[in-house]
């Protein structure tokens, strides 16, 4: 009876978290999956079961495929650069240098700013003729350029904003991981005559692999869920060149009011993120070293 009481007490403690998880995560996911097999109700016309028609429409939707390609380029541009920059910043501020507290604060400040505020700040930087970037390029006699209005530079500008926003957030995890590495390892490496580069490559980086796996998964998720800065800066333009998958879902669901098609797009996004997460675990778990 005592053992049963312990289990009942444990499940009662977990009940609030389970209820919130089921109510705000599992139930919406199931409802979205069900809605993707129905048509969107219009006025007095109720929703009707249409099977996989929404998914069939998706295969012939050029904007959907362009959004997928844009999102892949966005992920390739933000994930490796953000992680590498975060690791470099963490290694830098982890050393004993003057003003490292101020450096940590400066690197982390973009993280605490709302994305809407960040987007408006960078919108001023990119403004043609009188923006900050235009003032800098004007010093070198370069002509004015519409950075967010050009197909050649719009997506790169959005990628730069995301990197500036996320690198400081990832830096905190790397900094915490670096401070957990025993100093005795560095002392032993120094006694053996190992160079700093060798110690970093053979000791520090392998010990940072659990943090890297965590950061990588978060970076992938973030690369597919950022939408607010797109709304503020480009609204998917020009000519859908900055339309990411979640932004397209937002447009379909809340601008065109095709909620069923938006549900189908959402399920594709969920499946893609799930497969990417599983692939990351399968690939990185064998290369992860735990202390």
């Amino acid at each position: 009876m005592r053992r049963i009481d312990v289990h009942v007490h444990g499940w009662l403690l977990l009940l609030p978290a389970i209820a919130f998880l089921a109510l705000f995560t599992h139930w919406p996911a199931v409802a979205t999956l069900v809605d993707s097999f129905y048509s969107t109700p219009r006025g007095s016309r109720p929703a009707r079961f249409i099977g996989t028609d929404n998914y069939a429409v998706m295969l012939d939707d050029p904007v959907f495929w362009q959004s997928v390609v844009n999102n892949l380029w966005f992920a390739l541009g933000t994930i490796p650069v953000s992680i590498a920059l975060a690791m470099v910043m963490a290694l830098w501020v982890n050393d004993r240098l003057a003003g490292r507290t101020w450096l940590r604060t400066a690197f982390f400040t973009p993280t605490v700013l709302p994305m809407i505020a960040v987007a408006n700040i960078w919108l001023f930087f990119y403004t043609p003729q009188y923006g900050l970037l235009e003032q800098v390029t004007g010093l070198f006699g370069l002509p004015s350029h519409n950075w967010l209005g050009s197909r050649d530079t719009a997506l790169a500008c959005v990628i730069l904003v995301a990197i500036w926003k996320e690198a400081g957030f990832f830096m905190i995890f790397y900094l915490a991981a670096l401070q957990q590495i025993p100093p005795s390892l560095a002392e032993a490496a120094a006694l053996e005559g190992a160079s700093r580069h060798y110690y970093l490559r053979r000791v520090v980086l392998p010990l940072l692999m659990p943090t890297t796996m965590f950061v990588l998964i978060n970076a992938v998720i973030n690369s597919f869920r950022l939408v607010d800065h797109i709304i503020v800066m480009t609204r998917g333009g020009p000519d859908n060149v900055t339309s990411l998958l979640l932004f397209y879902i937002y447009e379909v669901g809340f601008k065109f009011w095709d909620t069923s098609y938006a549900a189908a797009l959402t399920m594709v996004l969920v499946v893609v993120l799930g497969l990417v997460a599983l692939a990351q675990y399968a690939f990185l778990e064998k290369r992860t070293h735990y202390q």
Side-chain angles (χ1 to χ4, degrees), residues 1 19 41 43 63 69 88-89 91 97 99 130 132 134 162 169 190-191 199-201 208 210 222 254 262 276 288:
M1 292 298 296
V63 181
V69 173
V88 170
M89 291 191 301
L91 290 169
L97 71 162
Y130 63 85
L132 182 61
E134 289 288 289
F169 176 67
L191 290 175
Y199 171 73
L200 175 66
R201 181 170 57 90
L208 290 179
N222 290 342
F254 296 97
V276 170
T288 301

Side-chain angles (χ1 to χ4, degrees), residues 23-233:
L23 184 62
F24 295 106
T25 301
H26 297 157
W27 170 249
V30 173
T32 301
L33 177 62
V34 173
D35 287 343
S36 68
F37 296 108
Y38 284 81
S39 64
T40 301
R42 303 287 186 182
S44 59
R45 187 184 66 186
R48 58 185 180 85
F49 182 78
I50 57 174
T52 59
D53 286 359
N54 285 322
Y55 296 94
V57 172
M58 191 186 307
L59 296 176
D60 297 326
D61 186 355
V63 181
F64 163 72
W65 289 110
Q66 184 174 2
S67 299
V68 171
V69 173
N70 293 340
N71 223 139
L72 291 177
W73 281 114
F74 183 83
L76 290 174
T78 57
I79 294 173
V81 177
S82 296
I83 294 177
L85 188 59
M87 190 178 298
V88 170
M89 291 191 301
L91 290 169
W92 187 19
V93 299
N94 190 51
D95 287 337
R96 296 180 179 178
L97 71 162
R100 63 175 180 176
T101 302
W102 294 102
L103 276 176
R104 292 175 182 178
T105 304
F107 290 156
F108 187 70
T109 297
T111 300
V112 300
L113 296 176
M115 195 62 187
I116 299 297
V118 170
N120 280 283
I121 292 172
W122 281 87
L123 190 62
F124 165 72
F125 290 167
Y126 291 137
T127 302
Q129 297 182 356
Y130 63 85
L132 182 61
L133 189 58
E134 289 288 289
Q135 300 297 326
V136 174
T137 56
L139 296 176
F140 300 94
L142 299 176
S144 178
H145 181 71
N146 189 355
W147 298 94
L148 295 176
S150 172
R151 290 180 55 89
D152 298 329
T153 58
L155 186 59
C157 291
V158 173
I159 290 174
L160 183 60
V161 175
I163 293 173
W164 185 79
K165 171 71 173 175
E166 291 186 343
F169 176 67
F170 297 148
M171 179 204 70
I172 294 299
F173 297 102
Y174 279 119
L175 183 60
L178 286 172
Q179 294 177 350
Q180 295 299 316
I181 298 177
S184 58
L185 295 179
E187 296 171 0
L191 290 175
E192 293 293 332
S195 65
R196 185 172 182 177
H197 178 266
Y198 184 86
Y199 171 73
L200 175 66
R201 181 170 57 90
R202 304 293 295 183
V203 178
V204 175
L205 293 183
L207 291 177
L208 290 179
M209 279 303 296
T211 303
T212 299
M213 185 168 65
F214 172 79
V215 168
L216 181 59
I217 293 174
N218 278 272
V220 171
I221 294 174
N222 290 342
S223 68
F224 281 89
R225 73 175 182 85
L226 290 176
V227 65
D228 37 9
H229 69 307
I230 299 293
I231 296 175
V232 173
M233 298 180 68

Side-chain angles (χ1 to χ4, degrees), residues 262-289:
L265 292 169
T266 303
M267 293 312 303
V268 170
L269 178 59
V270 170
V271 171
V272 169
L273 289 178
L275 293 176
V276 170
L278 291 175
Q280 288 176 343
Y281 272 114
F283 179 75
L284 293 178
E285 186 66 26
K286 297 178 181 179
R287 295 167 174 78
T288 301
H289 303 270

